[in-house]
Amino acid sequence: VIAMDEHPGIAYRKKKDASITVATKLVKDGLAHGVVSAGSTGAQMVAALFGLGRIKGVDRPAIGTVLPTLKGGKLLLDVGANADCKVQHLVQFAKMGSIYSEKVLGIENPKVALINIGSEKTKGNELAIKTYEQLEKMNDINFVGNVEGRDIPKGDADVMVCDGFVGNVVLKLMEGMASAFAQIIKEETNKSFVSKMGAALMLPALKGMKKRMDYSEYGGAPLLGVDGISIICHGSSKSQAIHNAIRVAYESYSQGFIDTIKANINMGEV
């Protein structure tokens, strides 16, 4: 086992029989079509990078995750693999995210947006401004401009691109808000008999809302850019989340996601 508090790189080199190492090698050797893990994210990333390798043309793999929004699940990347990024990294994230959204999520001509502090192309830091300039030149993705943080839950963009620092903050904030919202509803409905009766009548609607906002419905987070299918799950994943993560791995394989990235990552940028 590679524990959560171990240094992933050192542990990977020392523990040749760790389960994540063995599982990734099975994918590399063609004995398995994908690996799904709810263990150490760092260990899984190291195993994928050294065990599977990067797809030619990809500088840095990215972790993508599907966020629940008002318009269904939408892809956010990167959510933690790369805290510091250059323009070409975000451009590659956009292209890989677009391919994944179309091939695995089944969204035709997915809308790709850049997360920024304003909708105007001149807003944001130097990285955001220069990335916008590159993305709007590309003819092989459907770039729709910037999306602000408050608009992320609306689901107007199918693929939302940012560096791993911003993406991880967005992901953790949405997780925290969902948990806090559920706690507030529980506290308020327990304040009086009338509130409890009202909650009982609202139960079907509340269950429907919970299902729509449940991350486990969308499975795990794919590690995009490595030469094989590697799906990262949250450490607290229940059976439903693992079930859907396995489904995501299967769909990634059956739709030829890796081969599509290989064929398109260096083509038709401008």
Side-chain angles (χ1 to χ4, degrees):
V1 174
I2 297 180
M4 296 291 187
D5 58 350
E6 288 187 90
H7 188 285
I10 296 174
Y12 174 78
R13 288 193 294 271
K14 288 184 176 180
K15 298 182 175 182
K16 301 299 183 183
D17 292 329
S19 57
I20 188 62
T21 305
V22 174
T24 303
K25 189 175 186 302
L26 291 174
V27 177
K28 178 66 174 178
D29 293 343
L31 299 175
H33 293 133
V35 58
V36 175
S37 174
S40 165
T41 299
Q44 187 168 354
M45 287 181 57
V46 170
L49 283 170
F50 289 99
L52 300 175
R54 293 193 303 267
I55 291 173
K56 186 178 180 180
V58 175
D59 294 322
R60 292 188 185 181
I63 301 174
T65 191
V66 178
L67 297 179
T69 74
L70 294 176
K71 296 181 180 179
K74 305 298 181 182
L75 186 67
L76 171 70
L77 74 166
D78 178 32
V79 295
N82 307 281
D84 297 301
C85 290
K86 296 180 180 179
V87 173
Q88 69 264 29
H89 302 148
L90 296 187
V91 169
Q92 290 171 7
F93 297 169
K95 185 173 288 190
M96 291 191 295
S98 180
I99 294 171
Y100 182 85
S101 186
E102 185 166 8
K103 299 290 286 186
V104 181
L105 301 182
I107 301 174
E108 186 177 353
N109 195 28
K111 299 175 182 176
V112 179
L114 183 67
I115 293 181
N116 207 337
I117 59 172
S119 59
E120 301 88 351
K121 62 183 295 183
T122 55
K123 285 288 185 70
N125 55 20
E126 184 178 3
L127 175 63
I129 294 171
K130 289 187 176 180
T131 301
Y132 190 110
E133 292 173 354
Q134 291 301 311
L135 292 177
E136 69 175 347
K137 295 177 184 178
M138 295 171 63
N139 57 20
D140 56 347
I141 65 170
N142 180 17
F143 181 58
V144 295
N146 291 327
V147 60
E148 297 182 62
R150 64 186 176 189
D151 296 320
I152 291 174
K154 295 178 182 178
D156 291 334
D158 300 308
V159 180
M160 295 168 286
V161 178
C162 58
D163 62 53
F165 185 92
V166 171
N168 196 266
V169 171
V170 169
L171 176 62
K172 298 293 176 60
L173 175 62
M174 292 190 69
E175 288 178 341
M177 288 297 294
S179 178
F181 189 57
Q183 182 63 31
I184 290 171
I185 291 176
K186 184 177 180 180
E187 291 175 359
E188 291 298 321
T189 54
N190 286 328
K191 282 187 175 181
S192 68
F193 175 76
V194 174
S195 296
K196 290 179 181 179
M197 290 296 294
L201 295 172
M202 286 284 293
L203 190 59
L206 292 174
K207 286 184 177 180
M209 182 185 73
K210 183 178 183 297
K211 183 177 178 64
R212 288 180 64 182
M213 298 303 293
D214 189 358
Y215 286 83
S216 69
E217 293 290 327
Y218 301 103
L223 183 55
L224 307 179
V226 293
D227 194 4
I229 296 165
S230 185
I231 309 298
I232 299 170
C233 299
H234 199 287
S236 61
S237 295
K238 302 292 191 297
S239 60
Q240 178 75 2
I242 297 296
H243 170 272
N244 282 316
I246 294 171
R247 173 185 54 76
V248 167
Y250 169 76
E251 290 174 352
S252 297
Y253 168 73
S254 63
Q255 294 298 321
F257 170 66
I258 300 297
D259 289 337
T260 304
I261 286 187
K262 288 180 178 179
N264 290 277
I265 192 65
N266 288 317
M267 296 175 59
E269 289 191 2
V270 179

